[in-house]
Amino acid sequence: MAHTIREKNKLLARVKRIKGQLDAVERALEAEAECEKVMHLLVSARAAMTGLTAEVVEDHVRTHLVDTELFPDALREDGVEELLAVIRTYMK
Amino acid sequence: MAHTIREKNKLLARVKRIKGQLDAVERALEAEAECEKVMHLLVSARAAMTGLTAEVVEDHVRTHLVDTELFPDALREDGVEELLAVIRTYMK
Amino acid sequence: MAHTIREKNKLLARVKRIKGQLDAVERALEAEAECEKVMHLLVSARAAMTGLTAEVVEDHVRTHLVDTELFPDALREDGVEELLAVIRTYMK
Amino acid sequence: MAHTIREKNKLLARVKRIKGQLDAVERALEAEAECEKVMHLLVSARAAMTGLTAEVVEDHVRTHLVDTELFPDALREDGVEELLAVIRTYMK
């Protein structure tokens, strides 16, 4: 079962939190706050989005590159770890 | 006047669009869609967020590094353009 | 055979080109050029490095996540394409 | 005086180190090492390049956006810090 289904509620909670961060951006724009504040709120919302995306990409690598029911032993764990280490350096 | 105030409605509309993209992520998670779909939706929402952030950062460079009323001629346009060219290569 | 071996000469030529770009950074620093020039040279060397890294990561995904001799049909092409599409958005 | 001139020797040493890292990539390709090793070497060379670029960009912000001799007090330190905080989140 894909991680996005197994961890559905946890992931939904994270999406809700990011939407809450975007609500804060909206309020700052409405209140004509300094662009520094808007910038700060956007950067942290984007960081949260990047973290969530990295988690879903990791799940994709583990569950969707190989049909693990047809080929249970095909995916090489060391190859997966090396790839995820590189992806994490880019998805910060 | 800061760009975030001058272009307030345009920026608010962009934030609303990104929230709409996150609604689509929520629906995909609720419907237990393939993680490929969730991944795809997240990557495009993040790209929209990156674009919006880059615009606010550009505004910050032009309006908040120097008090343009006290020092109307202080900001060097070529220096600003070089900086923004680099920032854009990172904020894609 | 891994792409890094099959395309060895092409990849070596690209590494040499990036080293040439770093030589140009060295010359600019030695000549005490404006930091704008140094910045510009560094950004393009980094972009070349990113492109080369993305190519090697793609090769890793295609040849090292599954032992393609033991499991010739295990790797799902659509899953691979989806993953590489996301990786490319980050490795620009 | 620009940072790239003031810190010339330190920056030259860093460029030399990155070229050394690229020499290691060349040796790994010549020796037909596993693409995981090539990937690993490239990712760390790119990280070193990103760090060096971030330092030069910071210098550019502090010394080239305003003619600090003509306008010694024009650059707003808090605006600069906010900008550099955002740039650092992208240039990791």
Side-chain angles (χ1 to χ4, degrees):
Chain A
M1 180 196 287
H3 165 89
T4 44
I5 295 167
R6 216 175 43 243
E7 306 279 353
K8 179 167 140 178
N9 295 329
K10 228 180 73 185
L11 294 171
L12 278 168
R14 283 180 74 170
V15 175
K16 278 192 175 49
R17 267 204 304 277
I18 296 170
K19 281 171 69 180
Q21 290 179 278
L22 286 173
D23 291 339
V25 174
E26 270 183 334
R27 287 193 300 272
L29 284 169
E30 291 285 6
E32 302 191 358
E34 282 294 339
C35 90
E36 279 152 13
K37 179 163 182 191
V38 175
M39 188 166 68
H40 205 73
L41 291 168
L42 273 173
V43 166
S44 33
R46 182 179 174 273
M49 180 96 79
T50 298
L52 178 57
T53 310
E55 194 173 309
V56 173
V57 168
E58 181 156 340
D59 172 44
H60 177 74
V61 171
R62 291 198 188 283
T63 55
H64 282 95
L65 295 189
V66 167
D67 183 327
T68 45
E69 268 151 41
L70 271 176
F71 305 99
D73 308 320
L75 207 55
R76 290 181 50 229
E77 189 51 30
D78 54 353
V80 167
E81 276 312 318
E82 274 290 334
L83 175 64
L84 296 178
V86 172
I87 288 178
R88 287 184 203 114
T89 62
Y90 281 90
M91 297 183 78
K92 274 175 285 190
Chain B
M1 179 199 286
H3 164 90
T4 44
I5 296 167
R6 217 174 44 242
E7 306 278 353
K8 178 167 141 178
N9 295 330
K10 227 181 72 186
L11 294 170
L12 279 168
R14 284 180 75 169
V15 174
K16 275 191 179 50
R17 267 204 305 278
I18 296 170
K19 279 171 70 178
Q21 289 179 279
L22 286 174
D23 290 339
V25 174
E26 270 183 334
R27 286 193 300 274
L29 285 169
E30 291 285 7
E32 301 190 356
E34 283 292 341
C35 91
E36 279 151 14
K37 178 161 184 193
V38 176
M39 187 166 69
H40 206 73
L41 291 168
L42 274 172
V43 166
S44 35
R46 182 179 172 274
M49 178 91 82
T50 299
L52 179 57
T53 310
E55 195 173 308
V56 172
V57 168
E58 181 156 338
D59 173 44
H60 177 74
V61 170
R62 293 199 186 283
T63 55
H64 282 94
L65 295 190
V66 166
D67 182 328
T68 47
E69 270 151 40
L70 273 177
F71 306 99
D73 307 320
L75 207 57
R76 290 180 50 229
E77 188 52 28
D78 54 353
V80 167
E81 274 313 318
E82 275 289 334
L83 174 64
L84 295 178
V86 172
I87 288 178
R88 285 184 204 115
T89 63
Y90 282 89
M91 296 182 78
K92 276 175 283 188
Chain C
M1 181 197 286
H3 164 91
T4 44
I5 295 167
R6 217 175 43 242
E7 306 279 353
K8 177 166 140 177
N9 295 330
K10 227 182 70 186
L11 294 171
L12 278 168
R14 284 180 74 170
V15 175
K16 278 193 178 45
R17 266 203 305 279
I18 296 171
K19 280 171 68 178
Q21 290 179 279
L22 287 173
D23 290 340
V25 174
E26 270 184 335
R27 285 193 300 274
L29 286 168
E30 292 284 7
E32 302 190 356
E34 283 293 340
C35 91
E36 279 151 15
K37 178 164 184 192
V38 176
M39 188 166 69
H40 205 73
L41 291 167
L42 273 172
V43 166
S44 34
R46 183 180 172 273
M49 178 89 82
T50 298
L52 179 57
T53 309
E55 194 173 308
V56 172
V57 167
E58 181 156 339
D59 173 42
H60 177 75
V61 170
R62 293 197 185 285
T63 54
H64 282 95
L65 295 190
V66 166
D67 183 328
T68 44
E69 269 150 41
L70 271 177
F71 305 98
D73 308 319
L75 207 56
R76 290 181 51 230
E77 188 51 29
D78 54 354
V80 167
E81 275 313 318
E82 274 290 335
L83 174 64
L84 295 178
V86 172
I87 288 177
R88 285 184 206 114
T89 63
Y90 281 89
M91 296 181 79
K92 276 176 284 190
Chain D
M1 180 196 286
H3 164 92
T4 45
I5 296 167
R6 215 175 45 243
E7 305 279 353
K8 178 167 142 178
N9 294 329
K10 228 182 73 188
L11 294 170
L12 279 168
R14 283 181 75 170
V15 174
K16 277 192 177 49
R17 265 202 307 277
I18 296 171
K19 280 171 68 180
Q21 290 179 279
L22 288 173
D23 290 339
V25 174
E26 270 184 334
R27 286 193 300 272
L29 286 168
E30 292 284 8
E32 302 190 356
E34 281 295 338
C35 92
E36 279 151 15
K37 177 161 183 193
V38 176
M39 189 166 68
H40 206 74
L41 291 167
L42 273 173
V43 167
S44 33
R46 182 178 173 273
M49 181 95 80
T50 298
L52 177 58
T53 310
E55 194 174 306
V56 172
V57 168
E58 180 156 337
D59 173 44
H60 177 75
V61 170
R62 292 198 185 285
T63 55
H64 282 95
L65 295 190
V66 166
D67 184 328
T68 44
E69 270 149 40
L70 272 177
F71 305 98
D73 306 322
L75 206 57
R76 289 181 50 229
E77 188 52 28
D78 55 353
V80 167
E81 275 313 318
E82 273 291 332
L83 175 63
L84 295 178
V86 172
I87 288 178
R88 286 185 204 114
T89 63
Y90 281 90
M91 297 181 78
K92 273 175 285 188

